Amino acid sequence: MAPMAYARFPFLSLLLLCCIGGLLAILCTPAAQTRRIKWISAVFSGLCLVLSAGLFIAYDQSAGGLQFVEKFPWVPSLGITWFNAADGFNLPMLLLTGIVFFTAVLTMWELETRVKEFFALTFLLVTGVFGLFMSLDLFFIFVWYDVSLFPMYLLIAVWGSTRKEYGAMKLTLYLLAGSALILPAILYLVVQAGLSTFDLTALMQPGTFTPYQEKFAFLLLYLGFGILAGVWPFHTWSPVGHVAAPTGVSMIHAGVLMKIGAFGVLRVGIFLCPAGWQHWAPLMALLATIGIVYGALVGLRQTDLKYVIGYSSVSHMGIVGLGLATVTVDGLNGAVFQMFAHGVMTALFFSAVGYIYDRTHTKAVAELGGLSRTMPVAAAFFIVAALTGIGVPCLASFWAELMVFIAAFRVYPLYGSLAVGALVVSALFILRVVQRTCYGPPNQRLTHLPDIPPLLGVPRVILVSVIVFFGLLPAFMVNMIQTATVAFFNGLP
Amino acid sequence: MNWTLLSPELFFLTAALVFLGISMSGRPDPERDYLTAVVLGAVGLGICLAYVPLRGDLFLGAYRVDLFSQTFKTLLAMGFFLIVCICNDLTGVAERHHPEFYLLLTASTLALMLLVSCVHLLPLYVALELSSYSLYVLVYLRVDLRQGVRAGLTYFLIGAAASAVMIFGLALLYGAAQSAYLADLMTALPGMLHQPMVAIGVLLALAGFFFKLAVFPFHFWAPDVYQGAPHQAAAYIATVSKVAAVAVLIRVAALTGGAGSFLTDALVALAIVSMTVGNLSALVQKDFKRLMAYSSIAQAGYVLIGILSMSPAGYGGAIFYALALLVMKVTCFLVLVAAAGGGRNMEIAGLAGLHRRSPILALALMMAVFSLAGIPPTIGFTGKFLVFKAAIAQGHVSLVLIAMINVVISLYFYLMVVRAAYLTEPQGPQPALLAPPLTRGLAYFLVALTVLAGIYPTPLITWADAAARGLM
């Protein structure tokens, strides 16, 4: 096999082009032809999934490092380059985005209102997400960050439910407040480096920044990206936004967008300011642990299904934060794996709840009941998601959480035990929700409702199989991430 | 004397004379006036573009034609052209006054073109006054006389006060440097900035342009004038006259050679207060044009960030930002003229259902306000990015943080505009809005420009940088 032959082809740009091509194709289709728009969306998002999975498989793990590199000058006077590459950190994220995007499009197959605008905005959003994950140029990372955020406002405010305008506005303002910290930090680092380049690999050479500069910039970057990652106490937008968003958007949002935050902390904050990372790690660990415990405890009190998932997301993203805060290879591996696992799991969760909501028109735990008898398939998907959320072995989250907790116990024994304790609490509240919604006497009003038809079952089946696959064969993912983490730690001073 | 150097100015003078002739014919014919204006505007823009490479000095060195001035003349001509294009619905002005309206618009553009080329204090002042007096009358021309008079009077009184302050500042500078040529001031001033007289002189001299740009504390006129003036006049004041103000502010700031901490501190304070006052006041506005006014005050603050960086990168950023302002604001006013109809003022709520009535106008409006808010990939983001980068390079990290917080505040009211256009449904049935082909074409063009200059701004940045470097 000649790796260089195909590695030269700009596969990453092709992936972006698939998104943009889908967007343009949708824009050129008359709004009345909703069926055609849905098929276009499915085909192009399917292509994205195939490409991202192909890249994941084609990556040469024994060689490691940056592969599929594309580098062209963009604004030479400012040192901005079109610089995309794949490594062990972003390939899992690209794969995750492909999976969630495709399944979200299929999940929204029954959408009737303003179909064209919905799918166009979704494609725009996902373009930003893919772009951010693959880019190694700070300018583009920032641009993609914002591109992936601002369609959210319309997506939630137009197609959402519960308090949608409030949720949309809150989410947008919070996340752009994050970007208000990120842009100055990026500009500060670029100017201080004096290299007149936005190239991340050039800026991350050891000795580029003084420890003071790294500490200052890392704090801004951590808080800025952390808002999107749902770091306590900046998480309040997240449950509200998840609840307000329509199903497909909740899936992308909780499944992928929140990962952008964590990935940004990793890719920009930790890569550029390792000294700042080590300095602020105790703070990160503290906030992450509070997030884990707080999310679990607040989740215990929720009566709305989507709020339950929303708070469990806060808790699970806390685990990612805790992994990053350990400053160890295992912690980092676990954090990235957890990003992937949580992304797939939460997409399945929202997808299952979305179906239940579409049919029953209620998300209140008290009004549901006996779903395993009235809608056995829908209930099954919901239960699998719940079990993954708890961290049952043989499902993807288990390995991720295990790696983080092992690392956390070594570095922060107290936080580690608190986090494990919170996991037990969260198991309690999720199982209680499962028990109340899926078992017990069925609500008589809801007994006649149809179960998931085969077509709508496809996206959920894909998500479940991904969870089970990486639960049974975690080495596929861990080895991939390992290629990047080990190399990164070897480069640390 | 080489008259070709003056081609753009001479063309606009001719255009003004054409409208003078039409106005004396006495037969109102809006269609004829509109077409004449559009054609003349297009030709004017073409001439300005063709004469960008011109270089030379005129009138004993008091008038300079260089890349900087020609760039701004192109921007001014572009602004003039875009604004006459949206004069298709000039119902805010009585029909018999249409030729005068175009005459004053052309005269003001001509004056601003002279202004960006002046390198001597005296013609600088005269050109500024010429453009201002045209605008004072333009504002009065509103059919609804009560609104027009109030707006015109506000504009005139504050403008006259600012101009008086400014000429006092110019006198101080002349007294200190013993010369009125900017070139002499440029060599003399940097060494003298520590003298209170010179520092205050520079600040007062800037006052006239702060007034045009609506920078705090010379911003009080903006909301009333925008609201009271005919839409197109307000659009002109919001765009073209600001572009020229940016040009002269850059020229005057460049005089100080980047020195002078007192001056920089003062500009930092003005920028912060302008942004904050503009954005906070905009939060509670209901009228679309008042919102635009307060947003302009805030935008002026962002432009100042580029200027106070006192570096070629900062000036280049400010030039780029001037273009961005032009594009974004013209788009907003284009939508206003089409959506309000009949030259009436419109509340933000009046945009309800726009996405159904005219998808392209709704899209254009959304892109324009996202661009004003500085969200990539739009021209407004690139502008902000450039000025912020220049400011951080000069060590103004906290200023940029404050500016970014302002951006977040401003996002709220910009999103309210998007919400009105995309989310709310109108009371009662509203017919589809069939904008004329030129308006629709213009909307497509502006959206494309907004996005393209956000994605691939390289040629524009290179041009702006070259223009700024020629100044130093």
Side-chain angles (χ1 to χ4, degrees), chain A residues 403-478:
Chain A
M403 286 160 77
V404 170
F405 287 140
I406 290 174
F409 268 119
R410 270 195 223 119
V411 187
Y412 309 105
L414 175 65
Y415 296 161
S417 28
L418 276 174
V420 173
L423 205 67
V424 176
V425 176
S426 85
L428 177 70
F429 84 76
I430 289 179
L431 285 180
R432 212 176 50 145
V433 167
V434 167
Q435 184 215 348
R436 288 200 187 157
T437 52
C438 297
Y439 300 100
N443 183 339
Q444 289 310 317
R445 247 178 356 97
L446 308 174
T447 45
H448 62 282
L449 295 169
D451 205 348
I452 294 190
L455 181 69
L456 287 177
V458 171
R460 279 99 179 171
V461 170
I462 296 175
L463 291 170
V464 170
S465 34
V466 172
I467 291 176
V468 175
F469 178 80
F470 286 106
L472 294 176
L473 300 165
F476 264 103
M477 188 55 79
V478 178

Side-chain angles (χ1 to χ4, degrees), chain B residues 32-359:
Chain B
R32 169 202 62 195
D33 300 339
Y34 174 62
L35 285 178
T36 319
V38 169
V39 171
L40 286 176
V43 176
L45 178 56
I47 289 183
C48 283
L49 272 174
Y51 285 102
V52 165
L54 283 185
R55 301 284 176 275
D57 284 313
L58 288 172
F59 308 124
L60 308 173
Y63 196 83
R64 175 170 303 154
V65 176
D66 55 10
L67 182 59
F68 181 80
S69 73
Q70 298 314 91
T71 306
F72 271 99
K73 279 174 203 168
T74 311
L75 285 182
L76 294 172
M78 179 177 158
F80 175 81
F81 172 64
L82 292 174
I83 286 176
V84 294
C85 280
I86 60 172
C87 285
N88 57 326
D89 185 10
L90 194 54
T91 30
V93 179
E95 281 190 3
R96 66 197 152 84
H97 288 316
H98 280 198
E100 278 97 341
F101 181 88
Y102 293 117
L103 166 63
L104 291 167
L105 216 54
T106 323
S108 175
T109 312
L110 169 64
L112 293 175
M113 288 192 163
L114 296 173
L115 184 69
V116 298
S117 263
C118 288
V119 288
H120 187 283
L121 295 181
L122 220 52
L124 193 79
Y125 183 75
V126 173
L128 184 71
E129 288 303 283
L130 177 58
S131 79
S132 298
Y133 278 88
S134 313
L135 291 181
Y136 297 148
V137 186
L138 267 183
V139 174
Y140 272 108
L141 280 180
R142 184 86 181 239
V143 174
D144 178 0
L145 208 59
R146 272 222 331 260
Q147 283 191 330
V149 167
R150 188 182 150 184
L153 209 57
T154 315
Y155 196 44
F156 175 69
L157 287 178
I158 298 184
S163 142
V165 170
M166 176 183 170
I167 201 162
F168 182 55
L170 294 181
L172 285 178
L173 290 185
Y174 176 60
Q178 307 287 326
S179 168
Y181 281 99
L182 295 191
D184 296 338
L185 291 174
M186 197 173 263
T187 49
L189 280 189
M192 297 159 68
L193 266 181
H194 58 279
Q195 298 177 20
M197 179 173 96
V198 177
I200 289 174
V202 173
L203 266 187
L204 294 185
L206 292 175
F209 307 104
F210 287 162
F211 161 73
K212 289 236 152 199
L213 200 56
V215 171
F216 179 91
F218 298 99
H219 67 281
F220 292 102
W221 57 273
D224 289 339
V225 170
Y226 279 41
Q227 194 179 20
H231 297 332
Q232 288 82 356
Y236 185 86
I237 292 172
T239 54
V240 180
S241 114
K242 296 213 162 147
V243 167
V246 171
V248 185
L249 274 176
I250 294 176
R251 263 209 205 281
V252 177
L255 289 184
T256 60
S261 64
F262 166 72
L263 188 66
T264 314
D265 290 347
L267 290 178
V268 168
L270 288 180
I272 291 177
V273 178
S274 277
M275 290 184 291
T276 315
V277 166
N279 283 328
L280 289 181
S281 314
L283 288 177
V284 293
Q285 299 308 317
K286 298 234 161 20
D287 183 274
F288 187 76
K289 282 204 285 182
R290 287 188 87 83
L291 179 80
M292 280 297 121
Y294 282 109
S295 120
S296 301
I297 296 169
Q299 300 289 338
Y302 302 133
V303 177
L304 266 193
I305 293 180
I307 296 172
L308 64 84
S309 302
M310 308 258 182
S311 62
Y315 299 144
I319 296 172
F320 190 94
Y321 210 101
L323 168 70
L325 272 183
L326 188 70
V327 173
M328 305 184 288
K329 282 281 159 70
V330 167
T331 316
C332 289
F333 277 96
L334 174 133
V335 175
L336 170 72
V337 169
R344 284 183 299 272
N345 280 359
M346 184 180 64
E347 302 242 306
I348 297 167
L351 290 166
L354 187 67
H355 74 96
R356 195 163 300 157
R357 296 176 64 203
S358 170

Side-chain angles (χ1 to χ4, degrees), chain A residues 335-353:
Chain A
V336 178
F337 198 175
Q338 169 73 353
M339 285 194 234
F340 178 84
H342 175 251
V344 181
M345 172 207 90
T346 203
L348 177 63
F349 234 142
F350 277 115
S351 164
V353 170

Side-chain angles (χ1 to χ4, degrees), chain A residues 177-460:
Chain A
S179 81
L181 300 175
I182 298 168
L183 183 62
I186 287 179
L187 290 175
Y188 176 78
L189 286 175
V190 168
V191 165
Q192 294 299 333
L195 300 171
S196 138
T197 177
F198 283 81
D199 180 343
L200 196 82
T201 50
L203 292 172
M204 66 182 283
Q205 299 306 322
T208 310
F209 305 108
T210 63
Y212 169 78
Q213 289 167 349
E214 291 195 9
K215 285 175 200 166
F216 173 68
F218 184 82
L219 189 62
L220 288 183
L221 290 168
Y222 171 61
L223 295 179
F225 282 115
I227 292 179
L228 184 46
V231 167
W232 187 90
F234 310 111
H235 66 281
T236 58
W237 60 271
S238 125
V240 178
H242 292 338
V243 172
T247 305
V249 177
S250 293
M251 288 168 69
I252 295 181
H253 185 209
V256 179
L257 268 181
M258 286 179 86
K259 292 1 171 237
I260 284 184
F263 186 78
V265 173
L266 172 67
R267 183 67 110 190
V268 184
I270 294 178
F271 267 47
L272 288 183
C273 314
W277 174 39
Q278 282 151 14
H279 179 79
W280 292 109
L283 175 75
M284 291 170 73
L286 176 66
L287 293 184
T289 312
I290 295 178
I292 297 171
V293 175
Y294 174 89
L297 291 180
V298 176
L300 208 53
R301 298 282 306 155
Q302 298 308 312
T303 53
D304 180 308
L305 268 184
K306 274 191 156 185
Y307 267 115
V308 171
I309 311 172
Y311 280 104
S312 90
S313 273
V314 172
S315 188
H316 283 120
M317 287 307 288
I319 296 179
V320 175
L322 189 59
L324 293 178
T326 58
V327 198
T328 56
V329 174
D330 285 343
L332 222 54
N333 285 345
V336 178
F337 198 175
Q338 169 73 353
M339 285 194 234
F340 178 84
H342 175 251
V344 181
M345 172 207 90
T346 203
L348 177 63
F349 234 142
F350 277 115
S351 164
V353 170
Y355 181 81
I356 295 173
Y357 175 66
D358 285 346
R359 291 295 175 280
T360 62
H361 300 289
T362 179
K363 292 177 291 192
V365 174
E367 288 183 29
L368 298 163
L371 285 179
S372 62
R373 242 173 296 164
T374 52
M375 293 185 200
V377 184
F381 287 129
F382 183 70
I383 294 170
V384 173
L387 292 180
T388 323
I390 297 167
V392 169
C394 293
L395 298 173
S397 291
F398 168 74
W399 301 104
E401 289 171 11
L402 186 70
M403 286 160 77
V404 170
F405 287 140
I406 290 174
F409 268 119
R410 270 195 223 119
V411 187
Y412 309 105
L414 175 65
Y415 296 161
S417 28
L418 276 174
V420 173
L423 205 67
V424 176
V425 176
S426 85
L428 177 70
F429 84 76
I430 289 179
L431 285 180
R432 212 176 50 145
V433 167
V434 167
Q435 184 215 348
R436 288 200 187 157
T437 52
C438 297
Y439 300 100
N443 183 339
Q444 289 310 317
R445 247 178 356 97
L446 308 174
T447 45
H448 62 282
L449 295 169
D451 205 348
I452 294 190
L455 181 69
L456 287 177
V458 171
R460 279 99 179 171

